[in-house]
Amino acid sequence: MELEEYWGIGPKTREVLEASIGTEVAIEAIESGDVRALVEAGVDRSRVTRVLRHAHSAEGMALLATGDARVVYKELLETIAAHAVSEAAADRLRTLTPLTERDEMDARLDAVERGRDGWKLLGDDSRTAVFDAFERYDESPDGRLAAVEAAVDLARLDASAAVFEPIDRLDTDALAEAAVALGALGDDRIASGADDELDRLRDVRETVDRRAANTDAVLDELRSGGVDDTAAFREGLVELLGGQTTIDPSRVRSAMARDAVDAAGFVSETLRALRSDLDGSIDRRSDEVRAELESAIETAGEDVDRARPAVTRVARELSLGRFAAAYDLERPTYIDGDGLAVVGARNLSILDGGGEVQPITYAVGDHGVDAPAGERVTVLTGANSGGKTTLLETLCEVAILAHMGLPVAAETAEISTLDRLVFHRRHASFNAGVLESTLQSVVPPLVSGDRTLMLVDEFEAITEPGRAADLLGGLVRLTITEGAIGTFVTHLANDLEPLPETARIDGIFAKGLTDDLELEVDYQPRFGAVGRSTPEFIVSRLVANADDRAEEAGFRTLAKAVNTEVVQRTLSDAEWTALASDQ
């Protein structure tokens, strides 16, 4: 396979990869999802992520049929990656994609459960040890050695959890010795600390080199010691070197020059011969140590190569488990037929921001939860700021997470497997180009013959009100005709009647104003009811907050146009509540 056959790799990226790591290694990195290798080769991290997503599941990515669906997907990935146990794990999590086969989804959900169970079993000290092990793994320039060391570190946790089984299957005692060997073996030189004798010989050679660089100083030291004949001069050199190193005196004597014409020549030739002799000893000892180290690696066998995928898998599963535990996520149920239903669903983006969330129950299509079933389309109505868009986003999050084989933020969730997810956020523009581009993005997947979920927010905002209901009604009917399911948010419910039999209208209602005159909403939709806009509550707030008599009079005039009785009652309730709280 050629590099340019992969999605997102053009001539420039191919040239970068070929020049840095070569075609074969680059393809291996793509197939194994090795973000680190591709980034270090010189490819932009965001491009690497996109390439790997399409390389590993192009069909899964096709689920995200609109730009808004892809935005939610990317936001979810960032939330997931924030719970990774390492930067390398976070990079790999960003390459997760929707899956197309139910058994793949179930397998990934099983992996998440292993990760969550394992993480919960770890105490604080063990969790810190996990972070430390993966941090060292991330920072090491040698991925093979780092993986072996990380495997040994994780084995020392002695945690009896299924998530660590890939580590348990390794001979970590042999790997510990292999880690020492891998750390000691360099390209040309065995590292210090690998062998005491080799280190001793190197220290001696270093001393000899230092003395050979200044033979005059050697002569001065010998003469100052009272050396007055040849024999004493020879023994004085032996003692001088022996006092500064662990060298065997016999080695010094055997290296002594025999034909030197003077004392300086004697010292220089002797140190040069001694250095040559040490070089030979160091080379021989290096060969012996290298053989011993390679034997240690060979003893560990294939476990050295298995360490990296084992560490990668543990990191991924622990990270996903942390994500699931952080938000108390639950496993979705995949159902036959066409449907999406949630009980106690929460919006992850709001939870991630620290906001309060009212769990909601909602459903469309076929399912088995305690909610209306059978309608292929629901039309969701209600007040502004009533949570309609948030509900759509929540359904979108559930659909994407479930298709990624991940647990969802709901007590119960049932979903049929989909081919296309059309999510359209509200875009306030009457520009003809916006309408055209929107229709081009939502209609083709709907009529593709695939299993499609439509989540459309205030479609009327992109065209003039007079024709918006016609277009929206057409989309509702088209959704039913094409065998898709969907939820449409709108303020034009009355203009859509009569709806097809397989469609249902639901509503979100405002309950009034809080003590602070903020709009209070019951975000749980009422099934089969049209949600009413609540301008009377807004006008009540404006009347109460007006600090100018003319403004207050103006707002009271508006109150007569909406519902004076409700405005007065709301103001009285708010004032009475505020008075009671003061007392």
Side-chain angles (χ1 to χ4, degrees):
M1 187 171 184
E2 299 296 328
L3 280 172
E4 287 191 47
E5 293 181 45
Y6 289 101
W7 182 95
I9 295 184
K12 291 183 178 179
T13 304
R14 172 183 56 77
E15 290 173 3
V16 169
L17 290 172
E18 288 178 345
S20 56
I21 57 177
T23 300
E24 185 176 346
V25 174
I27 290 176
E28 182 181 348
I30 292 172
E31 292 297 327
S32 64
D34 193 341
V35 178
R36 176 178 178 176
L38 295 170
V39 170
E40 291 180 350
V43 183
D44 178 73
R45 187 178 299 273
S46 61
R47 177 173 290 276
V48 168
T49 300
R50 295 194 301 272
V51 167
L52 294 181
R53 288 171 186 164
H54 286 269
H56 288 249
S57 185
E59 291 184 5
M61 290 298 293
L63 171 77
L64 310 170
T66 60
D68 287 330
R70 290 187 287 274
V71 168
V72 173
Y73 162 70
K74 293 173 184 177
E75 290 172 348
L76 287 171
L77 286 180
E78 288 306 312
T79 299
I80 295 167
H83 295 83
V85 294
S86 70
E87 286 300 319
D91 284 339
R92 288 181 178 270
L93 292 179
R94 291 187 181 96
T95 69
L96 291 177
T97 67
L99 303 170
T100 58
E101 300 297 330
R102 192 176 294 184
D103 58 349
E104 293 178 338
M105 300 174 196
D106 284 328
R108 186 173 285 171
L109 282 164
D110 291 341
V112 176
E113 286 304 310
R114 287 194 297 270
R116 173 159 43 189
D117 292 344
W119 185 253
K120 287 183 175 180
L121 286 174
L122 297 176
D124 290 341
D125 290 343
S126 293
R127 290 180 178 183
T128 299
V130 167
F131 286 128
D132 291 343
F134 285 115
E135 183 178 2
R136 289 190 293 272
Y137 177 62
D138 281 351
E139 293 176 350
S140 174
D142 185 345
R144 190 175 186 226
L145 170 60
V148 171
E149 290 177 333
V152 173
D153 289 340
L154 293 173
R156 288 172 180 154
L157 294 175
D158 197 25
S160 57
V163 69
F164 294 107
E165 285 181 1
I167 302 298
D168 295 338
R169 289 195 288 267
L170 302 174
D171 184 347
T172 49
D173 290 335
L175 281 180
E177 296 184 9
V180 174
L182 287 168
L185 284 174
D187 294 333
D188 300 313
R189 187 178 189 274
I190 295 173
S192 299
D195 180 72
D196 291 341
E197 175 61 12
L198 184 58
D199 289 343
R200 186 188 71 78
L201 289 171
R202 286 172 173 168
D203 288 342
V204 172
R205 183 173 64 182
E206 183 179 344
T207 300
V208 169
D209 286 343
R210 187 172 61 253
R211 303 303 292 186
N214 191 355
T215 56
D216 289 343
V218 174
L219 291 171
D220 290 343
E221 288 183 47
L222 291 174
R223 287 166 180 159
S224 66
V227 173
D228 55 5
D229 58 36
T230 301
F233 196 89
R234 289 173 175 271
E235 286 305 311
L237 182 59
V238 171
E239 292 177 6
L240 179 63
L241 293 175
Q244 296 176 343
T245 68
T246 58
I247 192 169
D248 186 350
S250 63
R251 169 167 279 179
V252 180
R253 293 190 182 99
S254 65
M256 285 184 174
R258 286 168 173 73
D259 300 321
V261 296
D262 56 21
F266 171 77
V267 171
S268 296
E269 291 178 22
T270 297
L271 292 178
R272 187 161 51 249
L274 184 58
R275 213 283 186 183
S276 178
D277 180 53
L278 287 169
D279 283 345
S281 296
I282 288 172
D283 288 343
R284 288 188 294 275
R285 185 58 188 167
S286 294
D287 290 340
E288 294 171 0
V289 173
R290 186 176 295 276
E292 292 171 3
L293 295 173
E294 290 175 347
S295 175
I297 297 173
E298 187 176 350
T299 298
E302 295 180 355
D303 279 358
V304 172
D305 295 323
R306 292 194 187 105
R308 191 164 190 171
V311 168
T312 297
R313 173 176 161 178
V314 172
R316 182 179 63 248
E317 293 186 2
L318 281 177
S319 299
L320 291 174
R322 291 187 72 224
F323 164 65
Y327 299 102
D328 196 23
L329 306 184
E330 295 293 339
R331 186 176 187 130
T333 299
Y334 301 104
I335 58 175
D336 297 325
D338 301 305
L340 170 60
V342 291
V343 175
R346 295 158 292 139
N347 184 278
L348 267 182
S349 62
I350 296 178
L351 287 174
D352 201 36
E356 294 186 6
V357 177
Q358 176 185 342
I360 58 98
T361 295
Y362 202 70
V364 59
D366 300 322
H367 57 85
V369 308
D370 186 16
E375 296 89 357
R376 301 197 69 85
V377 167
T378 61
V379 176
L380 184 60
T381 62
N384 288 327
S385 302
K388 302 184 300 298
T389 298
T390 300
L391 190 151
L392 273 194
E393 291 176 348
T394 303
L395 296 178
C396 185
E397 289 178 352
V398 168
I400 292 174
L401 287 171
H403 281 78
M404 292 175 70
L406 299 176
V408 302
E411 296 172 12
T412 302
E414 295 186 0
I415 186 169
S416 55
T417 51
L418 304 168
D419 298 310
R420 300 289 181 269
L421 169 60
V422 175
F423 177 48
H424 171 73
R425 280 192 171 104
R426 180 180 183 271
H427 298 282
S429 173
F430 291 158
N431 186 296
V434 174
L435 174 60
E436 181 179 359
S437 62
T438 299
L439 291 174
Q440 287 177 333
S441 69
V442 304
V443 173
L446 180 55
V447 299
S448 63
D450 295 326
R451 296 165 296 181
T452 302
L453 170 63
M454 302 286 291
L455 299 173
V456 180
D457 185 19
E458 293 193 30
F459 188 79
E460 63 264 26
I462 61 174
T463 189
E464 59 269 21
R467 305 310 303 274
D470 297 335
L471 282 172
L472 183 56
L475 273 180
V476 169
R477 291 188 294 273
L478 185 61
T479 299
I480 294 172
T481 301
E482 292 295 326
I485 56 175
T487 295
F488 295 82
V489 167
T490 183
H491 291 286
L492 305 177
N494 292 331
D495 296 328
L496 297 180
E497 295 180 346
L499 285 171
E501 291 184 2
T502 52
R504 182 184 79 237
I505 291 182
D506 300 325
I508 294 178
F509 289 79
K511 297 187 292 185
L513 296 179
T514 66
D515 297 350
D516 298 323
L517 298 178
E518 296 295 330
L519 191 64
E520 185 177 10
V521 178
D522 179 7
Y523 295 107
Q524 171 57 52
R526 300 180 192 177
F527 302 116
V530 177
R532 298 299 180 187
S533 296
T534 52
E536 58 269 22
F537 295 125
I538 304 300
V539 173
S540 298
R541 182 167 59 189
L542 293 172
V543 170
N545 290 336
D547 54 9
D548 179 89
R549 289 187 177 182
E551 289 181 3
E552 181 180 346
F555 291 135
R556 287 190 179 277
T557 298
L558 293 178
K560 296 177 182 178
V562 286
N563 191 327
T564 304
E565 181 181 347
V566 173
V567 171
Q568 293 296 337
R569 185 175 67 248
T570 305
L571 288 171
S572 297
D573 290 345
E575 291 168 358
W576 174 260
T577 303
L579 179 62
S581 62
D582 290 339
Q583 295 175 346

